[in-house]
Amino acid sequence: MPGRVSARSSSTSQATHIVSSQNLSARRTAASSRIEIPDEGPSTSLRTRICEIFKDAQRSSAGHRKLATSLRKVQEACCYEVPDAQGKVQEKFEEDDFNLEVARCVIRLLCVKKSESVGDRIVHFLGTFLRRASEKDIALLPEEQVEEKQTLPETPSTRLTAHILSILLPLLDSKEKVVRFRATQLVAQVINSLDSIEDEYYQLIRTGLLKRMRDKEPTIRVQAVLGLGRLAGNETEEDQEEPASDDDDTSSLSRKLLEVLQNDSSADVRRSLLLNLPLTPTTLPFLLERARDVDPAIRRALYSRLLPALGDFRHLSLSMREKLLRWGLRDRDETVRKATGRLFSERWIEDCAASATAGESEPTVEAIFPNLDGLLELLERIDVVNSATGSGIATEAMREFWSERQDYRHAFIFDDAFWDRLTPESVFVARSFNDFCKEETGTFELLAEEKMPEVTKLAFFLQRYTNDLVNSMRYNNAMTESEEQEDTVEKEFIVEQLLHIAKALDYTDEIGRRKMFSLLRETLAIEELPEEITRLVVDVLSGVCGSEAAGEREFCGIVLEAIAEVHDNVAPDEPMADNDDGSFHSARSELSDSTPTKARSGGSANAAKDDNSEMVEAKAVREIMINIKCLHIAQCMLENVEGSLQQNIHLVTTLNNLVVPAVRSHEAPIRERGLLCLGLCCLLDKALADENLTLFLHCFTKGHDALQVSALHILCDIFTTHSNLVTAETADSALHRSLYRVFSRGLKAAHAPEVQSAATTALCKLMLTSVVKDEDLLKQLVTLFFDPATKDNAAVIQALSYFLPVFCHSKRENMEKMAAVAAAVVHTHVNLADELEEGEEVVSATTVANMLLDWTDTRKLVAQDVAVVTCNGARDTEVKGTNGDVHLTLAETLLERAMTYGCPKEERKTLVNMAGKICIVSNSSREKLRTVTDLATEAIDAKIATDTTTRNALNKIHQALCNALGEADSVGRSAEGPNADETVAGHRLGTEDASDVEGTLLKLEEKRTVTPGQDALVEELLLDENEDL
C-alpha cells in the first residue's frame, strides 16, 4: 500500500521547484471548462516512439506487459547512459523530455468519454508501466542506499509520477464531468499501482478525492472511493478510532468511507467500497452489514468474494456466523443463495477439515477431503443445538452442503459405532442426510435406505437415549436448588433428531412398526417428557398408525390412554371425580377452600398450618402442570387428525372430559390451552364451530393481547375451513357484524403490534379466499398500508405488500371492489396527511394514486375474461382485448367525489389527476362510457380544475372518452352544431375562482337531488335513438 513519507530528501529540492512551476501552469489550464493543448513544438523520434507504444496499448490489454517493458527501455535511455550494441551512444533525450511526452499522452486521454473502452485500456497500461518502472528503479539503487534512507528515494519513476499528479490534481475540480472522471480514474490508478507516495502528494490526493467522493456523478464517486480505499489502509488504529468530525482534513478517512458505504445511493459505489476497503476490526462489521443491501450484486459479492478472502471464518462471532448464513440462504436472489451455499460447503468446511487433521500432520491438500471430525466441528461452530430448531438455519445449510458435496455423501458410513456414540452434531448429520435423501427421488432415496438403520434398530437406539434423558430429568427433579443439576439440553436434542429420523422412515415392516408403536406408546405416558419431544412422539405415532379412518381411531385411542395415565399422576391416592362434572378442579379454589377444621394454639399449630399450606400449594402447582401437559398432548393429537369429530368416539370423549372442563377452568393457563384445543375441535365439526363462535369473539373482546392473537388465529382457521358459516345466504347478519367489528378493531390496535399483524394476516387470508367480501374492511386494509403509524410494524407491511396486488390481479370482482373504495382511500389519506405533526413523513398522494391505478388495471388480470381470450394457430392463448369497465368505474367514483361540495382543493387535484391516468379502451361497456363522459363534461362545465395540470388531466380523460365512444360522439357533436368543439375548447381553457367553483358544485348537487331520474331518462332516450339509427 502507498506509504506516507514525512519529508523529502535534500536532493529533491530542484525537482520540487520544477514540479511547482508546472503545477501553476496546470492550474491556469484548469480554470476554463475545456482543456487547451499547449504548443507542442516539432515532432521528435522520442514522441513518435512513445505515441506508437500508447497507440498499441489502446488496442488490446493482452500486450500491456510487453509494451510497458518497451516504454521502460525508452525511459532508461532518457534517464541513464545506455550504450547500443556497437558501443555508440544513441540520440540523447533528457528525462524531462520523456516526462513531457508521457504527460502529453495523458492529457489526450482526459477528454475520452467513459463509454470508450480505449480510455480504460490506456489507464490500465499507465498503471502497469508505473508499477514496473518503480520496481526497476528500486532494483537499480544500491542496497546500502535503500536501507539507510528513511524517506522515499528519488528516482525517475517518482519524478514522472509527481509530474503526472501535478497535472491531474487541479483537474479534479473541472466543470466537465468527463475530465473529472478521467482525472479521478487516473489518480486512483496511480495510487493503486505504487507501494508508496510522498507525503506532500498524499495530502493533496486525499483532499481532492474526498471532494470527488461527494460528486453528483456516480461513476466519478466510484473512482474516488477506489483511490481512497487504498489510502485508508495506511491509517493507524489510532486514526481510525478518532471521533467523528465534519472537517474532511481531520476526520478519519475510514469513518468517511464507511459512511459512504452505508448511505450512498449508487450500488456501484457501495460495491467498490465493499471490495476495496481494508479488512480491520473497525471496518469488518460495516462490510458484513452489506449482506442486507438492497442490491443483489452487492450481496452476491459479499458471499462470493469478500467472505472467502476473509480467512478462517472462526474469527467471526457465533451470532455473526448464524446471521450471515440465515441472510444468505434465505435471500430472495437465487445467485446469492448459491454463493452462500458454496461458502458453507466449500470454504468453511475446508477450514474445519484442515484443523481437524493438523494434529496428525501438516495441513495439506488431502486435509480437506471428506472428514467427519471437520464436519462435526463446523456444526459445532454454528451452534447446531440452537440453530437446528424452530426457525434456525442449520437445516437449510446442511441441505445445501449435501447437495454440493457428493464426496461427503458417499464417504459417510452410519454404522453401529456411530449410533452408539451420538453427539448433537453427529445425530444432526444423520438427520440432515436422511431428510436430504428423502426429499430427493431416485438415487438419493436408495442411498438413504443403504446407509440408514432399519426401523427396529432405530427403535432400540431411540429407547436407549430416551431412557437416558428421562433418568437425567428425574435426577434433576430430585435435586435441591443448592445442588448442581445435570444439563439435559444436548440429550433432548439427540432424542428430537432421532424422532425426526423416525418420522421419515417407511413402516411397511410390521416387526419394526410394532416395536416403534410400543415404544412411542410408553414414551408418551412419561410426564417429565419435554413439550417438543411430546409433539414429535405424537407426530411419529400418527405416521405409524396410518392416515385412514381405522388408523386415526387407533391413534386417538392410544393418545387418550396416555393422557389418562398422565392425568392419574395428579393425585394417585385421591380420585379425580370429586367434581360434579368429573373434570379438572381449580387449584386456586382448592387453595381458598382449604381451611383448618380445628383451631390450634401455640407455635406448633402455626408451624403445622404453614407446612400444610405449603403442601397444598405445591400440590396445586403440580396439578396445574399435569393438566397443561394433558392438554398439550391433546392439542398435538388434534393437529394430526383430519376425520369427522362425531364419528370418532375418542375425540368426543376428549372434548367432553378434557377440553370443555379446561375452558371452564378458573386457571388462566389451563383455560387458554383449552381454548386452543377447542378451536382445533371446531375445525373437525361445523356444528361445534357454529356453537362456539360467540365464545371466540368474546375472548377477543375481553382478553389480553396474547389471547386476542389466539382468538384471531382460531377464527381465521374456522372460517377458512367452514366458509359457509359466513358466505351462506342463511348466515346470521349479527354474526357478520360481530366478525367485521372484531377485524376492524384488530386493524386499529396500533398499541399492540402482534394483535394488529395477526388481524391483518387473518383478514388477508379470508379475503383472498373470498370468505370476507366487505368493502369497508378492504378500505381499512389499504389505508393501513399507507398509514405512517404502521411503518415500524414489518409484519403488517409485508403481509399487505403481498396481499394487495395479488388480491386485485387475481379476480375482476376484486378489482371492482378496489375501484369502489379508491376515492374513499384517497380522501382518508389526504386527511391523514393534514393531521400529521411536524417532522412526520407520509407517502405522497401521487404515489397512493399510482398504486391504486395499478391495482385496478384490468390488463394485469391473471385470469382474463373468456370473451377476450382467443387461441392462435399454435394453440397459444392470446388476449384479444381487455374490458375496461373497472377503470371506468374508478373514474366515475373519482369524478363524483371531485365534484362533491366541500371537497378540499388538494384532494380534488389528486382525484382529477388520478382520473386523467386511467386506461380507457373501446370495447368497454357503452353505458359506462356514456356515464363517465357525461360526468367529465359536467366537471368541465363546473370548472373544478383551477390549475393547468388539473385542467389538462380533465381534458385528457374527456378526449379519451369521446374517442372511445366513436360514432356516438360524432352524432352528439353533429346534434350540437358546428360550434360544439369551440364551446368545449372554451370550457377547457376557461378559469374561475375557487369560490365560483364551489358555488357551481353546490348548484349541481342540488340539481341532482331534485331530479334524480333525469339522467336515467336521457340515457334511455339516447339508447332508443341508437337503435333507430
Side-chain angles (χ1 to χ4, degrees):
M1 293 184 181
R4 298 173 60 178
V5 181
S6 59
R8 300 179 65 185
S9 61
S10 58
S11 61
T12 63
S13 59
Q14 184 177 1
T16 304
H17 178 72
I18 296 174
V19 169
S20 300
S21 63
Q22 293 169 350
N23 197 359
L24 292 175
S25 176
R27 286 194 178 95
R28 287 193 298 270
T29 304
S32 61
S33 60
R34 186 176 301 176
I35 293 184
E36 299 177 0
I37 306 299
D39 184 16
E40 299 173 346
S43 178
T44 61
S45 60
L46 176 65
R47 176 180 300 177
T48 303
R49 179 58 181 153
I50 293 177
C51 288
E52 289 178 355
I53 293 175
F54 274 88
K55 180 180 178 181
D56 294 338
Q58 70 181 4
R59 293 176 180 173
S60 174
S61 301
H64 278 186
R65 295 184 63 183
K66 183 178 180 181
L67 293 173
T69 302
S70 301
L71 188 60
R72 171 61 183 176
K73 291 180 180 180
V74 176
Q75 184 186 29
E76 290 178 350
C78 295
C79 301
Y80 303 101
E81 293 291 338
V82 181
D84 59 2
Q86 289 78 20
K88 299 180 181 179
V89 179
Q90 298 177 349
E91 182 181 358
K92 183 64 178 176
F93 290 96
E94 298 296 331
E95 178 183 343
D96 291 344
D97 297 333
F98 177 82
N99 294 346
L100 287 174
E101 293 301 330
V102 173
R104 173 179 171 274
C105 295
V106 171
I107 292 176
R108 289 288 196 283
L109 175 65
L110 293 175
C111 294
V112 179
K113 294 183 179 180
K114 180 181 180 299
S115 57
E116 299 290 340
S117 59
V118 294
D120 296 334
R121 297 193 191 108
I122 292 298
V123 172
H124 181 266
F125 168 71
L126 182 63
T128 304
F129 167 71
L130 290 178
R131 184 185 304 108
R132 188 174 185 85
S134 178
E135 294 173 355
K136 292 287 186 180
D137 287 337
I138 296 297
L140 292 175
L141 292 175
E143 294 183 2
E144 298 80 6
Q145 183 179 356
V146 175
E147 294 176 356
E148 292 177 0
K149 279 185 174 291
Q150 300 296 327
T151 59
L152 181 68
E154 184 175 355
T155 61
S157 298
T158 60
R159 290 190 289 269
L160 174 61
T161 303
H163 180 62
I164 293 176
L165 290 176
S166 65
I167 296 175
L168 295 177
L169 290 177
L171 297 175
L172 293 177
D173 297 328
S174 174
K175 294 182 179 179
E176 294 289 340
K177 64 179 181 180
V178 177
V179 176
R180 291 200 313 274
F181 168 73
R182 288 300 179 186
T184 308
Q185 185 185 27
L186 285 166
V187 171
Q189 185 68 31
V190 169
I191 295 173
N192 286 277
S193 301
L194 302 179
D195 294 331
S196 56
I197 197 169
E198 297 182 5
D199 186 67
E200 174 187 356
Y201 285 102
Y202 178 91
Q203 296 296 337
L204 292 175
I205 291 172
R206 184 180 186 274
T207 303
L209 292 183
L210 281 175
K211 292 180 180 178
R212 292 307 100 216
M213 190 175 66
R214 306 295 183 183
D215 198 282
K216 63 181 180 179
E217 296 293 332
T219 55
I220 298 176
R221 299 202 302 271
V222 168
Q223 300 301 323
V225 299
L226 286 176
L228 291 174
R230 187 72 186 276
L231 297 181
N234 201 41
E235 289 186 333
T236 61
E237 295 183 2
E238 291 78 7
D239 295 335
Q240 295 180 5
E241 294 176 359
E242 289 179 357
S245 172
D246 296 334
D247 189 0
D248 288 347
D249 296 332
T250 60
S251 180
S252 168
L253 180 58
S254 295
R255 288 184 178 275
K256 290 191 169 294
L257 291 176
L258 292 176
E259 180 184 355
V260 173
L261 178 65
Q262 288 182 307
N263 303 313
D264 198 285
S265 59
S266 173
D268 293 334
V269 175
R270 300 195 303 273
R271 184 173 182 272
S272 300
L273 275 175
L274 176 70
L275 300 177
N276 290 276
L277 272 177
L279 297 175
T280 64
T282 304
T283 60
L284 186 58
F286 295 91
L287 294 175
L288 298 181
E289 263 186 6
R290 293 303 95 201
R292 306 297 288 167
D293 198 280
V294 296
D295 186 68
I298 296 178
R299 303 195 300 270
R300 183 172 62 252
L302 174 72
Y303 286 100
S304 61
R305 298 182 60 179
L306 178 66
L307 288 177
L310 186 60
D312 197 334
F313 78 97
R314 288 170 288 191
H315 296 301
L316 299 174
S317 64
L318 177 60
S319 62
M320 183 53 67
R321 296 174 213 154
E322 194 272 336
K323 287 180 181 178
L324 288 173
L325 284 178
R326 185 174 71 251
W327 293 340
L329 293 176
R330 296 177 181 175
D331 196 277
R332 67 176 68 93
D333 190 83
E334 184 180 0
T335 58
V336 179
R337 296 195 298 270
K338 290 183 178 180
T340 310
R342 287 193 298 269
L343 174 71
F344 179 81
S345 59
E346 297 176 5
R347 188 68 181 88
W348 287 12
I349 185 61
E350 290 175 4
D351 294 339
C352 295
S355 63
T357 58
E360 303 174 2
S361 61
E362 293 296 327
T364 59
V365 177
E366 288 77 13
I368 64 174
F369 279 6
N371 188 301
L372 176 60
D373 295 335
L375 182 56
L376 297 182
E377 182 186 354
L378 176 59
L379 293 176
E380 183 182 358
R381 296 291 182 178
I382 63 174
D383 190 17
V384 69
V385 176
N386 294 316
S387 61
T389 58
S391 59
I393 197 61
T395 304
E396 300 174 33
M398 286 304 296
R399 186 184 301 116
E400 294 292 332
F401 178 84
W402 294 119
S403 176
E404 294 287 339
R405 299 305 298 261
Q406 180 181 1
D407 51 349
Y408 274 83
R409 288 200 305 264
H410 294 283
F412 271 37
I413 299 176
F414 301 105
D415 53 7
D416 293 344
F418 174 86
W419 297 103
D420 289 336
R421 298 188 301 270
L422 285 180
T423 62
E425 291 77 22
S426 62
V427 71
F428 185 71
V429 169
R431 179 259 174 115
S432 61
F433 176 80
N434 184 68
D435 290 347
F436 170 77
C437 294
K438 293 297 182 180
E439 290 175 1
E440 304 292 335
T441 56
T443 308
F444 294 135
E445 191 171 0
L446 297 176
L447 187 64
E449 294 179 359
E450 175 186 349
K451 291 181 175 293
M452 300 304 293
E454 58 272 13
V455 177
T456 305
K457 184 178 292 187
L458 182 66
F460 280 109
F461 291 133
L462 179 59
Q463 184 178 13
R464 170 187 167 186
Y465 288 102
T466 303
N467 293 337
D468 188 17
L469 170 64
V470 173
N471 292 335
S472 298
M473 298 185 69
R474 289 174 178 172
Y475 173 80
N476 290 340
N477 293 336
M479 293 293 100
T480 60
E481 297 181 358
S482 59
E483 296 178 342
E484 184 178 359
Q485 297 184 351
E486 184 178 354
D487 188 11
T488 60
V489 175
E490 293 186 356
K491 295 181 179 181
E492 291 179 18
F493 183 79
I494 293 175
V495 176
E496 289 174 7
Q497 301 309 305
L498 289 175
L499 288 170
H500 278 292
I501 296 175
K503 198 175 176 181
L505 293 180
D506 184 9
Y507 290 98
T508 55
D509 179 16
E510 184 62 23
I511 298 177
R513 194 192 76 85
R514 290 180 180 179
K515 174 60 180 175
M516 185 66 72
F517 180 83
S518 60
L519 172 63
L520 296 175
R521 167 64 184 82
E522 296 173 1
T523 304
L524 191 58
I526 301 175
E527 59 176 295
E528 294 88 358
L529 212 61
E531 287 193 353
E532 180 62 20
I533 296 180
T534 301
R535 183 187 66 81
L536 291 172
V537 168
V538 175
D539 292 347
V540 177
L541 186 60
S542 175
V544 171
C545 293
S547 58
E548 63 278 359
E552 277 195 357
R553 286 194 295 270
E554 180 186 15
F555 166 67
C556 294
I558 295 300
V559 174
L560 195 59
E561 291 178 5
I563 292 175
E565 290 186 20
V566 174
H567 199 278
D568 290 342
N569 293 327
V570 176
D573 54 342
E574 297 179 5
M576 287 300 298
D578 292 342
N579 291 350
D580 295 336
D581 54 0
S583 61
F584 297 144
H585 59 281
S586 174
R588 183 175 300 172
S589 61
E590 181 176 334
L591 281 174
S592 61
D593 296 340
S594 60
T595 56
T597 59
K598 182 177 180 181
R600 301 175 181 266
S601 60
S604 60
N606 294 333
K609 181 179 179 179
D610 294 339
D611 294 340
N612 186 33
S613 62
E614 290 179 0
M615 293 176 59
V616 172
E617 183 178 357
K619 180 182 177 182
V621 173
R622 174 176 170 78
E623 178 185 351
I624 292 175
M625 299 303 297
I626 293 296
N627 292 338
I628 291 178
K629 173 71 174 179
C630 295
L631 289 169
H632 175 69
I633 298 175
Q635 178 183 346
C636 297
M637 176 190 68
L638 293 170
E639 290 174 353
N640 287 276
V641 175
E642 298 180 356
S644 173
L645 177 70
Q646 300 298 333
Q647 296 178 2
N648 193 327
I649 186 61
H650 303 294
L651 293 179
V652 175
T653 303
T654 303
L655 174 64
N656 296 331
N657 296 337
L658 185 65
V659 177
V660 174
V663 174
R664 296 174 179 173
S665 175
H666 298 292
E667 304 301 332
I670 296 177
R671 187 168 59 249
E672 293 175 9
R673 188 65 65 94
L675 191 69
L676 293 176
C677 294
L678 180 61
L680 292 171
C681 291
C682 291
L683 299 181
L684 304 176
D685 188 76
K686 180 180 177 181
L688 182 64
D690 192 12
E691 293 174 3
N692 291 279
L693 281 178
T694 307
L695 172 63
F696 298 128
L697 295 174
H698 177 77
C699 290
F700 178 84
T701 305
K702 302 297 182 181
H704 51 82
D705 293 348
L707 187 59
Q708 287 181 338
V709 172
S710 300
L712 286 171
H713 290 164
I714 293 171
L715 289 172
C716 177
D717 292 341
I718 288 176
F719 289 124
T720 303
T721 306
H722 309 296
S723 58
N724 291 337
L725 294 175
V726 180
T727 59
E729 297 180 358
T730 59
D732 187 7
S733 59
L735 175 63
H736 279 208
R737 291 192 298 269
S738 301
L739 176 63
Y740 296 162
R741 195 181 304 114
V742 164
F743 282 116
S744 179
R745 180 180 172 184
L747 295 178
K748 297 176 182 177
H751 62 282
E754 296 82 4
V755 178
Q756 191 178 42
S757 61
T760 303
T761 305
L763 187 57
C764 291
K765 292 179 180 178
L766 294 177
M767 283 195 165
L768 281 176
T769 54
S770 300
V771 176
V772 175
K773 302 179 181 180
D774 187 67
E775 293 184 357
D776 185 63
L777 289 177
L778 177 61
K779 172 194 167 185
Q780 292 187 44
L781 284 176
V782 180
T783 305
L784 189 68
F785 181 62
F786 299 111
D787 193 344
T790 60
K791 64 180 180 180
D792 296 329
N793 196 336
V796 172
I797 299 300
Q798 185 176 13
L800 292 177
S801 298
Y802 172 81
F803 163 74
L804 290 173
V806 172
F807 173 78
C808 295
H809 296 159
S810 59
K811 292 182 180 179
R812 177 179 292 273
E813 178 186 358
N814 297 340
M815 269 194 180
E816 293 174 352
K817 293 177 183 177
M818 182 63 70
V821 303
V825 170
V826 174
H827 172 71
T828 305
H829 184 77
V830 172
N831 293 341
L832 182 63
D834 295 338
E835 296 173 358
L836 290 179
E837 298 179 358
E838 185 177 358
E840 294 183 349
E841 297 181 357
V842 65
V843 181
S844 65
T846 304
T847 303
V848 176
N850 291 336
M851 297 187 76
L852 290 172
L853 288 170
D854 179 77
W855 294 336
T856 54
D857 190 351
T858 52
R859 294 172 296 181
K860 296 186 178 182
L861 273 174
V862 176
Q864 293 286 351
D865 299 335
V866 179
V868 301
V869 177
T870 59
C871 293
N872 56 17
R875 297 184 179 274
D876 296 329
T877 58
E878 295 180 352
V879 179
K880 180 176 62 176
T882 303
N883 189 302
D885 287 352
V886 176
H887 261 191
L888 290 178
T889 302
L890 176 63
E892 183 178 359
T893 57
L894 295 176
L895 292 176
E896 287 179 351
R897 173 58 191 169
M899 290 189 295
T900 302
Y901 176 74
C903 181
K905 181 179 178 181
E906 291 298 326
E907 180 183 347
R908 180 182 293 118
K909 180 179 178 181
T910 303
L911 294 172
V912 175
N913 289 332
M914 182 178 175
K917 298 177 182 179
I918 65 172
C919 175
I920 300 175
V921 293
S922 58
N923 59 338
S924 301
S925 171
R926 302 197 64 77
E927 295 183 3
K928 282 280 187 182
L929 285 172
R930 291 185 182 277
T931 302
V932 180
T933 303
D934 294 340
L935 280 173
T937 305
E938 190 176 350
I940 293 175
D941 293 337
K943 299 181 181 178
I944 63 173
T946 58
D947 59 280
T948 305
T949 305
T950 310
R951 284 197 301 270
N952 292 339
L954 195 57
N955 294 334
K956 179 181 178 181
I957 184 177
H958 184 271
Q959 184 62 39
L961 289 167
C962 292
N963 294 337
L965 277 173
E967 183 182 352
D969 183 56
S970 61
V971 171
R973 284 200 302 269
S974 61
E976 293 175 3
N979 298 326
D981 290 339
E982 297 178 2
T983 304
V984 174
H987 285 309
R988 293 178 182 176
L989 299 177
T991 59
E992 191 170 324
D993 295 336
S995 59
D996 296 338
V997 172
E998 296 293 343
T1000 306
L1001 290 177
L1002 181 59
K1003 294 178 181 178
L1004 290 173
E1005 192 76 19
E1006 295 175 352
K1007 184 177 180 180
R1008 290 196 192 100
T1009 305
V1010 174
T1011 58
Q1014 183 176 357
D1015 294 340
L1017 180 60
V1018 173
E1019 291 181 1
E1020 184 179 354
L1021 292 175
L1022 289 175
L1023 290 175
D1024 295 340
E1025 183 180 359
N1026 291 336
E1027 292 176 358
D1028 295 337
L1029 292 175

